[in-house]
Amino acid sequence: MHPTPVETAISNEAIEWFSKLHSGRATPVDYRRFEAWRRRSPEHAKAYADVEAFWALLDEPAQRVFEQEEAQACLKACIDSPIRKATPPVARRPMRRAFAGLALA
């Protein structure tokens, strides 16, 4: 079943309201206008609730992605730290000897 043009318009309005209210730039007037819009009909209230529910579903995976990116940045910072770079590459010497041995063979 496809949404009607009216349902699509209401859904788009709900998305616009959600974006505005979560942008960090909404004013008290915006909140009052939103409440008036939402109370205008049960369809408006449902459309906004649907947007909130959809956003909540996206929030968990988005949080996991953020945490992974944060962990990777921390790992990179640890690897690139001046302390780590100052330590001599001791582990490479046995590998060089192995390669030299193979080259002679």
Side-chain angles (χ1 to χ4, degrees):
M1 183 170 125
H2 297 285
T4 66
V6 171
E7 291 170 332
T8 300
I10 291 172
S11 179
N12 288 340
E13 290 172 8
I15 292 167
E16 289 174 19
W17 277 117
F18 185 87
S19 297
K20 179 176 260 187
L21 298 179
H22 289 84
S23 70
R25 296 187 199 136
T27 65
V29 172
D30 292 327
Y31 283 99
R32 286 192 297 272
R33 290 178 55 221
F34 163 70
E35 283 301 324
W37 174 85
R38 191 171 66 161
R39 290 182 188 146
R40 193 173 307 151
S41 75
E43 289 81 12
H44 287 188
K46 182 181 180 323
Y48 191 80
D50 289 346
V51 172
E52 285 182 315
F54 181 72
W55 189 258
L57 288 174
L58 294 178
D59 193 40
E60 184 180 330
Q63 183 64 32
R64 278 189 266 143
V65 168
F66 174 75
E67 288 169 357
Q68 288 173 347
E69 288 175 351
E70 195 173 60
Q72 288 173 350
C74 181
L75 181 62
K76 183 177 181 341
C78 290
I79 290 171
D80 292 342
S81 77
I83 294 171
R84 180 164 170 82
K85 287 182 178 180
T87 57
V90 176
R92 291 185 191 173
R93 290 185 187 134
M95 289 298 281
R96 287 183 188 162
R97 288 186 192 134
F99 284 124
L102 286 173
L104 291 175

